[in-house]
Amino acid sequence: MSKSDCGCGCGGASAFPSAFVRPRFFAGQLLTEDDLSLLTDYVSGKSRLHNRMVSGPGVVCGLEVSCDPCGTVMVHPGHALDCRGDDIVLACKEKVDVQALVRELRVSSTGVRCGDPCDDESRGYGLYVRYEESAVDPVAPYATEEPCPTPGCVPSRVQEGFRFVVKCDTTDDHRYNPATKLLASIGDRDTYEALRLLTQRFGHYLDAMAIAGAASDRTFTFGPEDAARFTDSLEWLGQSGEGPPTSPDTALQLTEHVRALASAIARYDTYDSTGQGSLRTRFPVLERVDEARQALGVACDRLDGADPAKMWPAEAHRSIALAVVAETRARIVTVDADAPIEVRLLAQGTPVGNVLAVELRSDLVRIREWLLGRLDRAPGVADCRLRDDVRTVALPQPLPTPEPDATRRLTVTDLGLLTDAAGNLTTYVRRFVTDAACATLNPPCVDCTDDDVLLAHLELDGCDVVRVCSATREQVLPGGSAYGEWLPKLYQLRHLAEQVCCKPIPVYTAATPPDSGTVVYVADLLEEWPRTGPLEQMWDLLVTPAPGETVPKAVREQVHTMPSEVTDSLQELNVLRSQMGDLRATVEALRSQLDTAREQVTQVREELPERLGDRLSELETATPEPSAEEPPKPPARRTTRSSSTRKPRSGDSS
């Protein structure tokens, strides 16, 4: 049964031929030069493979380079491996004529300048050793039955050797920086850091939005922690001075105390009048609620006088700070009983105004597009269902950024769609980064583009070697030079990988209100969000360079620019969406007015006396009788025309 060169891959068998084939000998076999050459090729090929993959290129031992008079250097005995896996062995000292090698380099380079090469100023070069083979020991073959026998003698041996070369002081670095592979999947680091902040912001808001949309009543438990937060923030605001904040730290403290005090009052506002009276009995400090509302109004005016861009350099925090001021003034300074969702969000310390709600919609689109783009460009993805999961996320409709408007309120449907999309996408981002971080634990094979082995850096003055430096050349280490700087991080990465990699795929589950009614206040929302957890530790370990570590290779990606026609169309589409939203609001207002008019008509009908209604019915159905002196008049036109009363036609008798 014959097999094709490329198998079908059936039953787990390889679909491609093996890279190594060794001969199989048996009694009575006719051996030819092909069989014996295959054996030597197999042994040498396996040896090169192990040298290349297990050890890697570099100097194994020896090969020190020292100065020698008359423009030469001395290379001492030693052993090196090039990136193809060939062994380079120096058994004796070798004197290298650097001047001759420099002349050879200049003649072989473009832009040859004739003259004395020693007239150049000081320059730096690299001294390399290169593996070479030569055919030696020719012998005359015996006569064979071949129709065209080989004339003359044929070399019977392959002698392994080397030669020295001088090149410009640049070379490929075969060491492996794990961040190179990580950034190849993640892309631009700054872009990811900005997107990570967006996912962290959603992480602070997710539970609060889910609870605000799912709570069946508006009552949030007001406990001793809320009373303490009420007292501390009110006292701080009373002693914070006047005028707008002048530094980011002052703005941060002022906004955090506004948020804390507004949260405590929002919890108080979720109670009815009876419940509020009971709370004032338990916590006498709540007798100062009106004073606290006035203090919040003054604090919001102070924050409005500051420049948001200067006070909040981070855009993610700036939007939250503006929402704190806007929602506090709209819902707390003036009690708003018609915005239960907004009050629930404030009660948890996570305000969402109409501007921030639109921005969160845009952030979801941005996260989804980034994920799909990275999944298309990533060199390899092990989470096989991730792309389909990202594509099936239902996103709320993006809208243009509006002006602050306290009358625009969230609905339960919009909040639920926003929460589900945010929970799923933040989970998918974590899955993608986890997959990319775990993939760095598998270093790639060495890319052999230059098989010369660096021995030393040479500093020349004219044609005289003035200094030799061998300290920075590649050394063969256990596991290969590609693993050289990765090994110190190996055990930490393995420890973190046990907690992150090969675990069940995380699934987003929306939070539900606790049975006791106690809802957690989100603290430090405006502070710098720390990076915690094993995945974040793994990321920091990979991308933070250790002393002496090589820099990750740059990621080269094609940048796609969007034509102006497309951007103009998108802007027009956003304007149309805004107009559609206004039309929908107008239609809803008209429907409300129509319902009110119908109620008024029904009320009037119910208030009319019954006898008046009977009299009106008689007047409507009565027909006046014509007098003898006056000619008959046609009956008046009525809206409802009966069959017994019709207009006289021509020819009818009176």
Side-chain angles (χ1 to χ4, degrees), residues 47-48 51 60 79-82 85-89 131 160-161:
S47 176
R48 289 190 179 96
N51 289 342
V60 180
H79 178 207
L81 299 174
D82 66 9
D86 293 313
D87 292 279
I88 304 175
V89 180
Y131 174 83
E160 298 182 350

Side-chain angles (χ1 to χ4, degrees), residues 443-465:
C445 294
V446 177
D447 184 11
C448 185
T449 57
D450 186 358
D451 56 0
D452 295 336
V453 179
L454 175 67
L455 297 181
H457 301 282
L458 305 178
E459 184 178 340
L460 276 69
D461 185 6
C463 285
D464 297 330
V465 179

